[in-house]
Amino acid sequence: MQKLLFKLSVPVIAVALGLLVGGIIMLTSGYEPIKAYTALFSVIFTDSYFIGETVRQMTPLILSGLAVAFAFRTGLFNIGVEGQLLVGWLASVYVGIAVEGLPAFIHIPLAILAGALAGALWGLVPGYLKAKFMVHEVITTIMMNYVALHVTNSIIRSYLLAPGERTEEIQSSASLSSMFLQEITDFSRLHYGIVVAILGAIVMWYLLWKTTTGYELRAVGFNQHASNYAGINVSKNIILSMCISGAFAGVAGAMEGLGTYQYMTINAAFTGVGFDGIAVALLGANSAIGIILAAGLFGGLKIGALNMQAVAQVPPELITIVIALIIFFVASSYLVHWLRNRINRRGKI
Amino acid sequence: MDLMQILGIIIPTAIFAAAPLILTALGGVFSERSGVVNIGLEGLMMMGAFIGAVFTFYGETWGFGSASPWFSFVMAILIGAIFSLLHAVASITFKADQVVSGVALNFLAAGLTIFLVKKIFDAGQTPYLNERIFKSDVPLLSDIPIIGPLLFGKAYVTSYVAIALAFVVWFIIFKTPFGLRLRAVGEHPMAADTMGVNVTKMRYIAVMLSGAFAGLGGAVYATSISGNFTHSTIAGQGFMALAAMIFGKWHPLGALGAALFFGLAQSLSITGQQIPLLKEIPHVFLLISPYVLTILALAGFVGRADAPKAIGKPYEKGKR
């Protein structure tokens, strides 16, 4: 019990410190932190539109967080979630547009699967290069992000362009949007994707903790040499891990395509959802339940920031700063350990 | 269009586009040679570009005239070094995962710069700069036949500063006692510690140097290439510099070569439209070429390059 409490204390302290420093930054640059934070938190708990938007924002964050966490569990660092998300987005939207005449219960899974497959393919490249040539996945995944950005834009521009620098809208049979969910949330863009995201979290938990494959993947993450000695195929597991991670990221993209937007735009820059996944995974301690909670927090902060700007004129970028600080503090958990040791020692003497 | 004309378009653009990459990659060499991974180069460069744009703008209003960009470079070096302290404190003192801490630095820079731009200018971007680094012919050298106009005609001074600094950094890292200590700390911190080298201090200095160089790189980008600062001014150049450093095998001159190569690849995507043969290739292939070439190069002949041995590991005194 005490161990669990201590585990929880790191993210909680990190969030509190992040918000505190964010408040100090607001104060020193002439804004009113209390007014701003009140505006931020009040709406995401009370206003049905903001609640709906928060849940919508959580959906891709959960999935990209799962993608990062899955790779982390096997000792890999997937910064390529952003690129995998983009190709997944495009693939799912393509299936959503091009395939006609299917009932929704086949069309939707098919489109999501297309997204997952595209993401997995994009993860395969860095996984393969890592396993076969020892190329560091951090560099290859970063490079693959840019390739994805330019390639998806170019494909849309050449083959799928509709007025407004985007693709056509997907068939309604592939859409995750729901009139019912929109109506009960004051016409936010909430869609059924949250169900998919939570299923994704369950899949990750089951895969990692209840299957032999998951055991092997985690073993490779702990110690490659020992795993190799124990007869686990390390290369295969590295490639598999990057593919599964990429598949989660691809589904995150599919949620944007089939749920929030119903189409894909030509992106001038990255969406940022993939990078936010790193923050979500870290704060959620790479566990399925932690990721859902962390995605809730970051989703809420991002959506609430809009109201913060409306009420207290604070630029929403402040929330990016707060998120960055939270990552710093989570990463520096050594600080929390050190503080705890100091306090313990003093308590004993 | 003959070959000379084509080279006349490509080479100056390549050297021009490479300058910020060279500087930032050199910063990366310092940090990683000391054993600290620096994914935060992107954020440091962003900070540098922001400082470069802001202080050049204020330099103009304060009457610094054409010295404004140079004034902003000094500020970018200072503030880049200070900003990188966050990464140093987290990853060296608090033993955070260095990759994660670097990612956090990128986040922070992205948020902080735009936050400040909105606060200062009440808009999403800085005004366009009047005093920028402009092209000029290098006296005498540009009169050399054939290579003169190619390498020294219509050139940016900052590019030559960047190239010269690569040699300076090479000298510092491989020919001075400081460089020896730096490399020792990155290869085997415990041995270095035993010999009386202060590991923590060396790593702090290295990370701050990386901040200074990346800050300068960003400021050069803002004052020569982009001309102002927005949220999309630095979009991946820091990561490119990181790749250039690894491509160049953690060696200053290797990084210089790799950065020039990336500059060339980038310049092809800019100038490709004017060149007969390349005009036929779809634009997207030119756009992705720097990234694909990096991946291929890493998989092919650079894959075996050894990073500094202690890279990514926090140093704990007395721990084996």
Side-chain angles (χ1 to χ4, degrees), chain A residues 29 31 77 129 133 135 138-139 142-144 146 150 154 275-276 282 315 317 320-321 324 327-328 331-332 334-335, chain B residues 39 90 93-94 96 99-100 104 107-108 111-112 114-115 118-119 236 239 243 246 284 287-288 291 295 298-299 304:
Chain A
S29 44
Y31 299 107
F77 194 37
L129 293 174
F133 301 104
V135 184
V138 167
I139 298 297
I142 290 170
M143 296 296 134
M144 291 295 284
Y146 291 99
H150 292 304
S154 161
F275 298 119
D276 289 343
L282 270 172
E317 281 74 23
T320 315
I321 301 175
I327 308 176
F328 263 122
S332 310
Y334 178 83
L335 176 68
Chain B
I39 298 266
T93 304
F94 294 144
V99 176
V100 171
F107 266 99
L108 188 62
L112 201 59
I114 295 299
F115 180 81
K118 284 188 176 171
K119 180 73 200 158
F239 289 124
I246 294 174
V284 62
L287 280 176
I288 65 173
Y291 313 109
I295 294 175
L298 289 173
R304 298 276 168 267

Side-chain angles (χ1 to χ4, degrees), chain B residues 227-274:
Chain B
N228 77 339
F229 181 82
T230 72
H231 71 280
S232 60
T233 297
I234 299 298
Q237 290 87 346
F239 289 124
M240 291 290 291
L242 187 73
M245 179 205 65
I246 294 174
F247 203 167
K249 300 187 178 185
W250 290 270
H251 191 290
L253 300 182
L256 169 69
L260 283 171
F261 171 70
F262 286 158
L264 182 71
Q266 279 186 339
S267 78
L268 286 181
S269 71
I270 301 165
T271 58
Q273 308 297 354
Q274 307 171 33

Side-chain angles (χ1 to χ4, degrees), chain B residues 48-139:
Chain B
F50 164 73
I51 297 296
V54 168
F55 280 94
T56 306
F57 176 76
Y58 280 114
E60 287 167 14
T61 61
W62 294 338
F64 284 17
S66 59
S68 309
W70 298 93
F71 164 63
S72 83
F73 291 167
V74 175
M75 297 307 291
I77 290 171
L78 285 176
I79 295 180
I82 293 168
F83 188 61
S84 69
L85 270 176
L86 281 166
H87 181 51
V89 171
S91 63
I92 302 168
T93 304
F94 294 144
K95 302 181 174 35
D97 185 315
Q98 295 168 0
V99 176
V100 171
S101 156
V103 168
L105 198 72
N106 291 340
F107 266 99
L108 188 62
L112 201 59
T113 51
I114 295 299
F115 180 81
L116 290 173
V117 164
K118 284 188 176 171
K119 180 73 200 158
I120 300 169
F121 297 102
D122 224 1
Q125 57 188 53
T126 65
Y128 274 91
L129 305 172
N130 296 319
E131 295 294 346
R132 290 167 58 179
I133 302 289
F134 289 110
K135 287 183 228 183
S136 56
D137 286 349
V138 180

